Amino acid sequence: MAVAEDAPETKLRPPSLFMMLAEARGLFELNSSLLLSPLLLRAPKGDGHPVLALPGFLASDLSMAPMRRYLKELGYDAHSWNMGRNLGGVASKRGALRDLLKQIHETTGRKVSIIGWSLGGVYARDLAVQLPDLVRSVITLGSPFANDITATNATRLYEALSGEGINDNPEIREAIAGDMPVPATSIYSRTDGIVNWRTTQLRPSSTAENIEVYLASHIGLGVNPAALWAVADRLAQPEGEFKQFDRSGPFAIAYGPPGNAQS
């Protein structure tokens, strides 16, 4: 599992009701990104490679529109998932997502970076496990893929709408939680009101890292200016290369220090 070596999986709790109600600040995060757009556009420019943006549970491509627009401005070939509202189903959506990834790869002739917000990040990691030769990198935003993944405020609704139990398909779950065959970044917040942040943690390595964004909400993480900057910085790395995120940029004050994810 994607936890500290030899650390047992422990029972975690979903974020508190107070934290969940505080998710309303996501609108402030969106407005902050709009106000700071001139600064955000100073991020490293893209090389034109394709980026697939996968929305979170109950969300649609509309939720990822600010992210895609930002990445297009930086020079990336940003793609939607085009499957309507995400009603869940990690196992049931595997085939359609594989076909989508193959289509983008065949059309562009290049490996695809995948960004997934919440449940979309779970899909992203699953795609990287299945088709690593087509994936350039994976970036997740508040995605519950490790430890006790039932520790979210959306578990029961997910199971009701998707028809899949959280603990169904243990082989798929373990693969998603494990080390990725491609560079991987998990962007998360300890003030996430939907997902317990400890479920978002991958095992750091020479090609994997966790990036904490202070005070970000779950609903706002995909439009948070510091998160957007981190995404752009990670995507700008040359294919086949990986360096740990440099927190000395214009949003330095918004990031937690490296190496503290498991505390």
Side-chain angles (χ1 to χ4, degrees):
M1 299 293 277
V3 294
E5 288 191 31
D6 300 323
E9 183 174 316
T10 57
K11 186 68 176 177
L12 302 174
R13 294 182 178 181
S16 67
L17 177 61
F18 172 79
M19 292 285 287
M20 187 165 62
L21 293 175
E23 284 289 307
R25 69 189 185 279
L27 181 60
F28 172 77
E29 293 171 89
L30 173 60
N31 290 335
S32 295
S33 291
L34 295 174
L35 290 172
L36 294 171
S37 57
L39 180 59
L40 284 168
L41 290 174
R42 296 181 186 177
K45 300 302 179 183
D47 62 359
H49 80 265
V51 180
L52 173 60
L54 301 177
F57 181 51
L58 299 182
S60 67
D61 282 323
L62 182 62
S63 69
M64 302 298 288
M67 173 80 72
R68 294 196 310 273
R69 183 165 56 248
Y70 175 52
L71 296 180
K72 287 179 180 179
E73 289 287 336
L74 291 178
Y76 295 98
D77 180 17
H79 292 258
S80 306
W81 91 322
N82 297 316
M83 295 186 193
R85 192 168 299 279
N86 184 358
L87 298 180
V90 174
S92 62
K93 284 189 167 52
R94 292 186 104 195
L97 285 167
R98 282 197 304 267
D99 291 344
L100 175 59
L101 177 60
K102 290 176 182 177
Q103 178 186 3
I104 296 172
H105 179 264
E106 291 172 1
T107 301
T108 63
R110 303 184 68 176
K111 289 187 176 182
V112 183
S113 289
I114 310 176
I115 301 171
W117 191 349
S118 192
L119 179 59
V122 178
Y123 296 155
R125 289 176 66 87
D126 189 38
L127 282 172
V129 170
Q130 296 181 77
L131 300 169
D133 292 340
L134 308 188
V135 178
R136 175 163 165 163
S137 65
V138 168
I139 301 173
T140 58
L141 298 157
S143 299
F145 56 81
N147 297 304
D148 179 10
I149 58 173
T150 65
T152 80
N153 283 312
T155 298
R156 292 183 179 178
L157 188 57
Y158 170 88
E159 292 182 330
L161 293 180
S162 70
E164 294 183 13
I166 290 292
N167 291 314
D168 291 349
N169 305 297
E171 292 183 0
I172 296 177
R173 174 186 167 183
E174 290 177 10
I176 292 172
D179 296 334
M180 292 287 100
V182 302
T185 297
S186 173
I187 299 175
Y188 73 99
S189 172
R190 296 187 189 223
T191 54
D192 189 315
I194 304 298
V195 169
N196 186 308
W197 67 271
R198 292 175 180 83
T199 69
T200 70
Q201 300 300 285
L202 53 73
R203 182 168 61 182
S205 70
S206 60
T207 57
E209 64 186 342
N210 298 297
I211 301 175
E212 178 184 2
V213 178
Y214 286 142
L215 303 179
S217 66
H218 184 83
I219 292 175
L221 196 55
V223 293
N224 180 286
L228 289 174
W229 180 274
V231 167
D233 180 89
R234 302 292 77 200
L235 290 175
Q237 297 180 100
E239 184 174 341
E241 298 182 18
F242 187 87
K243 293 182 179 180
Q244 299 292 320
F245 181 56
D246 182 357
R247 290 162 171 77
S248 63
F251 297 96
I253 194 173
Y255 304 116
N260 71 337
Q262 301 300 335
S263 61

